[in-house]
Amino acid sequence: MKIAIYPGSFDPITNGHADIVKRAACVFDKVIVAVSVNSQKTSLFSIEERIELAKTVFSDYENVQVDTFTGLLVDYAQKVGAKTIIKGLRAVSDFEYEFQMAHMNKKLYPEVETMFMMSNQRYSYLSSSIVKEVGKLGGDLTGLVPEQIIDVIYKRLRRKS
Ligand code: PNS
């Protein structure tokens, strides 16, 4: 079985993330959306909440599973039997950081391959951070985040501001 992991902080999951997962689900037998902590970011939603949001978005996708991990991504990959890490690339600016991580992950676990998928052009400007910024300032998030979770995001942003 070909298992791929799509790791990220997903705070919250955007239409850009969802698009990558749905396309990857057509290529792999199983895609694990692995929600984790990025120590360089402060989060709007707890890990548990982010998992719930992702589960809501992918509930109709039989070969998409949502999980979480702590520690090294490569250790998690070994634990779940995944040999592929999927990353989305929006623009050249993403490349440098992803390039470094891909090489480090390969060094730590030589059997793992990082596969980059180009973000859908429609979502190439999207990030969780920009979504939070727009929502916080009262902008419309329609088309930026999955419809099923838009109200939860508005509510949380309103509570925080
Ligand atoms: O969505 P993000 O915030 O860009 O996701 C970053 C994430 C969680 C994928 C990255 O920080 C990660 O892989 N963390 C796990 C810890 C780890 O393995 N670090 C070494 C990577 S080279």
Side-chain angles (χ1 to χ4, degrees), residues 31-155:
V31 176
I32 304 175
V33 178
V35 184
S36 191
V37 173
N38 183 334
S39 51
Q40 286 157 25
K41 296 179 182 170
T42 52
S43 60
L44 178 67
F45 292 99
S46 70
I47 284 279
E48 292 74 21
E49 289 169 329
R50 286 181 256 158
I51 293 168
E52 277 316 304
L53 293 177
K55 280 188 175 167
T56 302
V57 173
F58 301 115
S59 59
D60 290 342
Y61 289 77
E62 276 183 12
N63 65 334
V64 176
Q65 190 185 312
V66 179
D67 196 9
T68 183
F69 71 98
T70 51
L72 286 175
L73 174 61
V74 290
D75 289 342
Y76 175 72
Q78 271 168 293
K79 193 182 105 184
V80 297
K83 296 271 174 63
T84 310
I85 295 168
I86 295 172
K87 291 296 189 90
L89 281 183
R90 291 165 296 192
V92 179
S93 53
D94 283 338
F95 183 75
E96 209 167 329
Y97 176 60
E98 294 298 345
F99 178 86
Q100 189 182 23
M101 281 204 290
H103 280 296
M104 181 53 80
N105 285 328
K106 187 84 179 160
K107 164 95 178 77
L108 294 169
Y109 179 27
E111 283 174 58
V112 84
E113 293 295 342
T114 299
M115 295 188 70
F116 293 104
M117 291 180 68
M118 302 302 291
S119 284
N120 188 315
Q121 214 177 355
R122 275 193 294 167
Y123 305 127
S124 59
Y125 62 95
L126 269 190
S127 68
S128 298
S129 309
I130 205 164
V131 160
K132 285 182 274 192
E133 171 85 6
V134 169
K136 200 163 75 181
L137 298 172
D140 183 3
L141 297 183
T142 307
L144 307 184
V145 296
E147 207 56 48
Q148 310 96 301
I149 63 170
I150 199 164
D151 285 339
V152 180
I153 299 171
Y154 281 137
K155 263 190 209 143

Side-chain angles (χ1 to χ4, degrees), residues 4-48:
I5 304 176
Y6 180 52
S9 38
F10 306 117
D11 183 47
I13 198 151
T14 68
N15 275 345
H17 297 131
D19 179 70
I20 296 276
V21 172
K22 288 170 189 177
R23 283 158 54 205
C26 297
V27 179
F28 292 92
D29 297 317
K30 181 157 105 180
V31 176
I32 304 175
V33 178
V35 184
S36 191
V37 173
N38 183 334
S39 51
Q40 286 157 25
K41 296 179 182 170
T42 52
S43 60
L44 178 67
F45 292 99
S46 70
I47 284 279
E48 292 74 21

